[in-house]
Amino acid sequence: MNYMEIYNQWLESDYFDADTKKELENIKGNEKEIEDRFYTDLEFGTAGLRGIIAAGTNRINIYTVRRATFGLANYIIKNTTEEEKERGVVIAHDNRHMSREFCLEAANTLAACGIKAYIFDSLRTTPELSFAVRKLHTIAGIVITASHNPPEYNGYKVYWEDGAQVMPEIASAITAEVNAITDYSTIPTIKDEQKDLVVMLDDKQDTAFIEAVKTQVIKTELVKKVGKEFKIVYTPLCGTGNVPVTRALAEVGFENVIVVPEEQNPDPNFAGIEYPNPEEHKALTRGIALAKAEGADLVIATDPDCDRVGVAVKTTTGDYALLTGNQIGAMLTNYIIESSKEENKLDPKATLVKTIVTSEFGADIARANNLGVINVLTGFKFIGQKIKSFEESGDRTYLFGYEESYGYLVGTHARDKDGVVASLLISEMAAYYYDKGMSLYEGLKELYKKYGYFKEKTIALTLKGIEGLAKIKEIITYFRENDIKEFNNTKVVDLKDYQKGIDDLPKSNVLKYFLEDGSWIAVRPSGTEPKLKFYVAVKGQDESECAGKIDNIESDINKIIDQVK
């Protein structure tokens, strides 16, 4: 059927509710809108769904959530033992519009398929879901969240029994099951006798998670020493982080934590923040203003599902500067290594795990300390996979894992990035420098003096709709099929095409150019948004030299894009 036939089917079928039909009636005559909503099914990607909340097959709504869950249930039923199936699935959700409704729809659909579903009484963080999968020994997990997307979005992520997001082979198999569901009315609905399969969790899970997070503190006495005076401004950006982050900070000894009042409570509209992304300066506007008023030493922000962390630090001028994900990751790498050495806790088999689009700053620090470094594809599940393989082989131990997009995991209590433990360790690290009479910003400058100046930039080209998707494919195909010899008048010495399945990694639609001066450029389509991303990383003597390199490389990239357009 074409998109108009599917649209009419939704209008005429008794399966779809009156509110859905009313919404669809309101777009009658708007063929472009109808086309965008129905020309395809919302793609079940490498870990699940993400889309605009609205009626239609290419939107996220109760029906597409049911369909995704039925597909997951069918995969579990067909590919696990009876014992594994009986372990059930745990579900968490954030503060977004429809998150609770989607959580309940998923739970009821699983129960209708004879699979136990554990749910929380209200919103919880993504890292706690990852922890709960392993703690409850479930076969899978689901998180209802769209991370840091704008308010009109929501999403659905699937985790497997190891606590990490499903790996590509499982994701592909679940996708096939989802795609096989062409008639929504065939999705089973929960019966009275199945309602006991939906189990409400108590607060024991919360305490177990917080206790696991607290064990990652390295310098407990230092925190107790400066915790009363060291001042932190924190914002959960109206999401899930406020309760666990402030609890963890308080219980280890940080007593001077000020939460941004306008952003402390869950709000699906994010108190007017258009893009609740902690890497964006605008998202931290209130937090920085409060820090200036209070003379705070550190500003921390977590995204709505509390798996990413942004940081603003006081500079030598008294202003506050945002650190990048690469800077935070490198500083945490150095702090964990140096502190572990001081405490005689550094395992010589310890290995740093980072993604292929993450700076070499942290990797250089690890290598300088004779530690291993492993690169994985973009997506924290690949870091989680390495933790599992280290534990199984015993050849390596996990030191720390991070990605440039503000995701970090200290410890192995979770298998996904954890904004709670990262907030705790960032605060401890900042307190360490504070105790030395230094700011985190001055600590960063020290590392630059020792290891060289690193600078990165991500260039995101947003192209929406059918035409946008086609253009993204056309541009990356151009880069793949044309022999680009230089950027910034510097020779390309190597090109890695991860689509070919190289470096013992799964195939992925990523290109990475390596330049003669040590700079690199990576090109990849976003897995969750209609964007083509270019990652540029350079190293030099200082900020000015690096900024010049990035500007020239960006100009060359734009010239190539213009040729394709």
Side-chain angles (χ1 to χ4, degrees):
M1 288 191 290
N2 63 33
Y3 63 85
M4 192 59 74
E5 289 171 328
I6 300 169
Y7 167 73
N8 286 324
Q9 184 188 61
W10 277 52
L11 279 176
E12 295 163 8
S13 171
D14 292 338
Y15 179 76
F16 300 99
D17 67 86
D19 287 342
T20 295
K21 291 181 179 181
K22 183 177 179 182
E23 180 184 334
L24 294 176
E25 286 280 0
N26 289 336
I27 61 169
K28 260 193 175 176
N30 187 343
E31 187 159 345
K32 191 166 184 61
E33 177 69 12
I34 294 169
E35 179 186 35
D36 192 50
R37 290 194 189 204
F38 288 96
Y39 82 94
T40 188
D41 291 321
L42 186 63
E43 185 179 356
F44 192 97
T46 54
L49 308 170
R50 188 174 297 185
I52 295 170
I53 305 163
T57 58
N58 191 32
R59 296 291 187 267
I60 191 163
N61 49 64
I62 61 171
Y63 302 107
T64 52
V65 166
R66 284 179 194 168
R67 181 173 182 259
T69 308
F70 189 36
L72 171 61
N74 286 336
Y75 175 81
I76 291 171
I77 291 165
K78 293 176 184 178
N79 294 278
T80 65
T81 65
E82 192 62 29
E83 180 276 329
E84 288 171 329
K85 174 193 162 188
E86 287 178 1
R87 283 155 47 189
V89 177
V90 58
I91 310 171
H93 68 83
D94 68 7
N95 57 297
R96 288 178 175 272
H97 291 291
M98 298 296 291
S99 281
R100 186 65 180 176
E101 289 88 343
F102 293 163
C103 170
L104 296 174
E105 288 289 346
N108 288 338
T109 301
L110 287 168
C113 296
I115 298 172
K116 185 182 291 184
Y118 296 93
I119 62 173
F120 295 91
D121 61 352
S122 64
L123 72 175
R124 293 298 191 278
T125 68
T126 289
E128 183 168 346
L129 181 281
S130 175
F131 174 82
V133 167
R134 298 174 69 239
K135 184 74 174 175
L136 294 167
H137 196 48
T138 60
I139 190 62
I142 299 168
V143 179
I144 306 297
T145 181
S147 189
H148 53 277
N149 279 61
E152 63 269 23
Y153 281 80
N154 213 326
Y156 178 110
K157 295 194 291 189
V158 180
Y159 290 70
W160 204 237
E161 60 181 329
D162 60 345
Q165 290 182 46
V166 287
M167 296 302 291
E169 60 273 18
I170 296 179
S172 295
I174 295 171
T175 299
E177 293 290 349
V178 174
N179 290 342
I181 304 162
T182 56
D183 183 352
Y184 283 83
S185 67
T186 63
I187 300 170
T189 55
I190 190 168
K191 300 180 177 68
D192 287 343
E193 61 268 24
Q194 295 170 316
K195 289 181 179 177
D196 287 346
L197 287 172
V198 179
V199 179
M200 187 75 72
L201 295 168
D202 58 28
D203 60 7
K204 289 178 183 176
Q205 288 299 317
D206 303 331
T207 298
F209 172 69
I210 294 296
E211 290 302 317
V213 166
K214 285 159 55 180
T215 63
Q216 300 308 317
V217 173
I218 304 170
K219 294 180 176 291
T220 53
E221 294 306 313
L222 169 74
V223 174
K224 290 174 184 175
K225 176 184 173 185
V226 303
K228 287 185 179 180
E229 59 190 68
F230 184 75
K231 190 176 287 189
I232 303 166
V233 163
Y234 167 66
T235 173
L237 298 177
C238 303
T240 61
N242 191 21
V243 172
V245 170
T246 55
R247 177 179 174 181
L249 288 170
E251 289 186 11
V252 301
F254 287 105
E255 299 180 24
N256 206 346
V257 179
I258 307 165
V259 182
V260 177
E262 300 94 331
E263 297 165 6
Q264 65 181 337
N265 295 320
D267 176 5
N269 295 313
F270 305 110
I273 301 169
E274 182 182 356
Y275 198 55
N277 186 346
E279 62 188 274
E280 298 282 344
H281 193 281
K282 284 175 73 174
L284 272 70
T285 300
R286 292 189 188 108
I288 291 172
L290 183 59
K292 287 179 179 178
E294 295 285 347
D297 302 290
L298 178 68
V299 181
I300 293 176
T302 53
D303 68 344
D305 66 323
C306 196
D307 61 353
R308 299 173 193 258
V309 183
V311 174
V313 295
K314 190 186 291 185
T315 67
T316 49
T317 64
D319 208 345
Y320 290 81
L322 263 63
L323 298 184
T324 68
N326 282 311
Q327 290 170 332
I328 297 165
M331 293 196 76
L332 280 171
T333 300
N334 181 74
Y335 178 73
I336 291 166
I337 292 171
E338 295 300 327
S339 298
S340 298
K341 281 172 20 182
E342 289 174 18
E343 302 286 325
N344 293 315
K345 293 179 180 177
L346 186 62
D347 187 332
K349 294 191 293 184
T351 301
L352 176 72
V353 188
K354 71 174 193 67
T355 69
I356 58 174
V357 296
T358 296
S359 162
E360 292 297 307
F361 191 4
D364 282 1
I365 294 170
R367 293 187 189 107
N369 285 276
N370 299 311
L371 298 178
V373 176
I374 289 181
N375 286 292
V376 297
L377 294 178
T378 305
F380 220 90
K381 60 181 168 235
F382 296 110
I383 296 176
Q385 182 189 41
K386 288 300 176 185
I387 297 174
K388 182 181 179 182
S389 69
F390 293 170
E391 291 178 348
E392 290 173 347
S393 71
D395 295 338
R396 296 174 182 268
T397 59
Y398 176 75
L399 174 76
F400 174 51
Y402 73 103
E403 56 188 3
E404 44 69 45
S405 54
Y406 295 70
Y408 326 94
L409 176 62
V410 187
T412 59
H413 58 284
R415 297 298 160 86
D416 204 348
K417 48 193 177 286
D418 180 358
V420 183
V421 78
S423 295
L424 195 58
L425 265 291
I426 290 165
S427 298
E428 180 189 338
M429 176 172 66
Y432 167 78
Y433 283 110
Y434 176 86
D435 191 50
K436 293 173 64 175
M438 298 170 62
S439 69
L440 206 55
Y441 183 76
E442 290 166 324
L444 175 62
K445 291 200 293 184
E446 264 196 356
L447 290 183
Y448 280 147
K449 286 178 186 176
K450 187 173 181 179
Y451 295 101
Y453 198 95
F454 293 79
K455 190 173 179 66
E456 306 80 35
K457 183 173 184 178
T458 301
I459 305 156
L461 183 65
T462 301
L463 296 163
K464 297 181 180 180
I466 307 172
E467 298 87 354
L469 182 63
K471 183 56 68 176
I472 286 171
K473 289 180 179 177
E474 187 180 351
I475 293 169
I476 197 165
T477 298
Y478 182 92
F479 274 88
R480 178 169 278 117
E481 294 180 352
N482 286 272
D483 183 18
I484 299 170
K485 297 186 180 298
E486 64 178 32
F487 290 91
N488 183 33
N489 295 316
T490 306
K491 185 180 177 183
V492 173
V493 293
D494 192 19
L495 169 61
K496 289 191 175 186
D497 185 350
Y498 292 91
Q499 190 82 286
K500 296 177 179 178
I502 59 174
D503 296 345
D504 295 321
L505 297 173
K507 292 181 180 180
S508 183
N509 190 14
V510 184
L511 298 170
K512 191 171 181 181
Y513 297 85
F514 297 85
L515 307 188
E516 202 167 30
D517 66 352
S519 303
W520 57 262
I521 302 103
V523 189
R524 63 175 282 268
S526 170
T528 56
E529 299 171 280
K531 291 181 178 180
L532 182 63
K533 291 187 174 183
F534 297 85
Y535 302 81
V536 181
V538 301
K539 183 179 178 182
Q541 296 297 314
D542 54 31
E543 157 76 21
S544 177
E545 180 188 352
C546 288
K549 287 183 177 183
I550 285 178
D551 286 346
N552 291 337
I553 291 171
E554 182 174 7
S555 176
D556 288 344
I557 289 170
N558 286 331
K559 286 175 185 174
I560 295 169
I561 291 171
D562 287 342
Q563 286 179 32
V564 182
K565 287 181 176 178

